[in-house]
Amino acid sequence: MALNGKRTKALALLSGGLDSALAVKLMLDQGLDVEAVNFVSPFCLCRKGGCGALEVAKHLNVPLKTINVGEEYLKIVRKPRFGYGKNMNPCIDCRIFMLKKAEKYARETGATFIFTGEVVGQRPMSQHVTTLGIIEKEAGLNGKILRPLSAKLLPPTEIEEEGLVNREALLGIEGRSRKKQIKLAEELKVTDYSCPGGGCLLTYREFACKLKDLFEHKKRVSLKDVQLLKIGRHFRFKKNKIIVGRNEAENNLLLRTKTANDYYFEAQDTGSPITLLQGPKTRTAIEKAAGLTAYYSDRKQGAVQVNFGKEKLDKSLIAPILNQKEVEQLRVIGQKASSNNQR
Ligand code: SF4
């Protein structure tokens, strides 16, 4: 599509999933120049980051800008104006945040408008018609966001009214079923590159419990704190956080991530996890951390010598192995969610 002889440039919010890939293809087919942005947050589950967005962008031959969101995003997650979804996912605030960032990038790069792969009614929290309106308004982009997959179900945007895109060639898909998108993907020869392990940790109950506990007990939460939530078994004893590694890789990571104030623990003469103790180093807290280390060691009964210290294991105590009830009482995710956990 050209205006005054100049091709219109549009900026896509590209997650790497099928819907946003289809939206890009529809815009390319209307003759627009398309660039894409992909947001990577500390809560993205994709191991590589980007959740397939890079592959989609390559496949569709559009330039891709990856925007990493960190501390600023953490503040939104901690105090969302529009609340949380089922777990700790502040989807409405998250979309507003990303659209604002995208709008800034669009201005810098000369894109005339932004479009997304959102489908009306697909997600309970953020994709209702009214919520889409709130998100646009709050992002300062009222009537300026195009959703090519559901456009015919929504009021015409400024983009359509100005004739920058042909509304007739846009779609009216709604709901959670993906059948129409899959059929369209075949017709348009678009491949779904979504990362199989992709998604957002904030929507997972167990992770949400750990994050909630962190917010409740720590005023200043860093990205490193969030990284730590992704590994190990997490326990809370008053002001203390105790993290027990589940395998060698996590043990090594815990040792690398520990701060100068944390104590670390290891059982002697038996297979042992590494345990971190954060918070005040009271006698009881040390005993709990040692008891958990003993519980997760290879020793199944009796008492275990557990060594601990800040920089090296220069202290020790004989710790009785905690019983399962004591362990579950300390566990952050609570009895119910942990019932499937192995030791
Ligand atoms: S699921 Fe996560 S990434 Fe997606 S909108 Fe909600 S908070 Fe944002």
Side-chain angles (χ1 to χ4, degrees):
M1 184 76 47
L3 195 68
N4 302 328
K6 221 178 138 200
R7 270 161 69 99
T8 303
K9 180 174 171 179
L11 184 68
L13 259 63
L14 189 68
S15 67
L18 185 57
D19 294 344
S20 57
L22 286 172
V24 169
K25 180 73 170 97
L26 289 174
M27 291 296 91
L28 288 171
D29 286 352
Q30 289 218 15
L32 285 111
D33 270 346
V34 174
E35 183 173 351
V37 278
N38 174 249
F39 291 93
V40 179
S41 91
F43 305 102
C44 282
L45 266 170
C46 186
R47 261 161 287 145
K48 292 178 288 176
C51 291
L54 199 61
E55 285 84 351
V56 173
K58 259 191 210 158
H59 176 73
L60 294 171
N61 200 19
V62 296
L64 176 74
K65 165 84 176 167
T66 301
I67 299 180
N68 284 290
V69 295
E71 304 280 352
E72 204 185 346
Y73 184 73
L74 215 48
K75 285 187 194 147
I76 305 278
V77 176
R78 185 163 202 165
K79 235 180 167 182
R81 272 184 63 208
F82 292 92
Y84 296 109
K86 204 171 167 202
N87 288 298
M88 288 287 278
N89 45 311
C91 295
I92 298 179
D93 293 81
C94 172
R95 296 301 292 174
I96 295 168
F97 175 85
M98 288 177 186
L99 281 174
K100 279 183 178 170
K101 292 268 170 217
E103 197 266 339
K104 185 169 172 275
Y105 185 69
R107 263 190 286 118
E108 287 165 10
T109 55
T112 310
F113 69 91
I114 296 166
F115 67 95
T116 76
E118 286 162 310
V119 168
V120 168
Q122 189 175 83
R123 285 170 195 247
M125 187 175 188
S126 58
Q127 294 184 8
H128 274 301
V129 176
T130 39
T131 322
L132 291 176
I134 294 171
I135 293 171
E136 273 185 27
K137 195 163 163 256
E138 292 294 324
L141 292 163
N142 220 358
K144 293 190 166 102
I145 308 286
L146 188 71
R147 280 113 181 168
L149 298 185
S150 288
K152 283 188 173 161
L153 305 171
L154 298 165
T157 56
E158 286 179 15
I159 303 113
E160 292 152 90
E161 279 170 349
E162 285 170 19
L164 296 175
V165 296
N166 174 12
R167 184 172 168 90
E168 286 315 304
L170 302 176
L171 308 177
I173 302 176
E174 68 178 318
R176 303 185 75 119
S177 163
R178 314 294 307 286
K179 279 187 193 153
K180 285 186 183 162
Q181 287 94 313
I182 291 167
K183 190 165 172 276
L184 186 67
E186 282 166 15
E187 282 164 25
L188 298 179
K189 298 194 175 20
V190 171
T191 312
D192 184 3
Y193 284 98
S194 346
C195 171
C200 171
L201 269 172
L202 296 169
T203 62
Y204 286 72
R205 182 178 178 269
E206 288 190 19
F207 186 83
C209 289
K210 292 191 271 183
L211 186 63
K212 192 163 178 270
D213 170 81
L214 182 65
F215 285 158
E216 278 168 5
H217 289 90
K218 203 161 183 198
K219 256 193 185 149
R220 288 189 169 192
V221 170
S222 67
L223 292 176
K224 204 169 165 184
D225 293 322
V226 172
Q227 286 310 112
L228 268 178
L229 295 185
K230 298 178 189 174
I231 59 165
R233 309 164 178 103
H234 288 240
F235 302 92
R236 167 71 54 194
F237 174 67
K238 297 180 182 169
K239 290 184 178 167
N240 294 100
K241 178 71 172 285
I242 303 167
I243 309 169
V244 184
R246 289 175 295 194
N247 51 45
E248 199 183 339
E250 287 192 349
N251 289 341
N252 291 335
L253 205 51
L254 286 174
L255 287 175
R256 283 204 302 276
T257 321
K258 77 176 268 314
T259 69
N261 281 329
D262 298 337
Y263 272 3
Y264 72 104
F265 296 69
E266 189 172 14
Q268 186 168 303
D269 299 330
T270 182
S272 172
I274 292 293
T275 298
L276 284 197
L277 172 65
Q278 300 177 326
K281 308 300 179 289
T282 62
R283 184 76 204 166
T284 344
I286 289 169
E287 283 168 2
K288 295 284 180 202
L292 283 164
T293 310
Y295 179 82
Y296 287 106
S297 75
D298 288 346
R299 195 75 60 78
K300 296 299 167 232
Q301 48 187 320
V304 181
Q305 178 172 337
V306 178
N307 302 326
F308 66 98
K310 270 189 186 172
E311 281 168 17
K312 48 187 177 165
L313 299 168
D314 52 3
K315 303 174 191 43
S316 76
L317 81 169
I318 303 297
I321 299 172
L322 295 186
N323 64 48
Q324 195 179 357
K325 195 172 168 212
E326 289 170 304
V327 171
E328 296 311 329
Q329 278 168 350
L330 292 170
R331 198 188 295 276
V332 168
I333 60 169
Q335 186 81 43
K336 198 167 167 229
S338 65
S339 58
N340 295 333
N341 283 0
Q342 292 177 344
R343 272 165 66 103

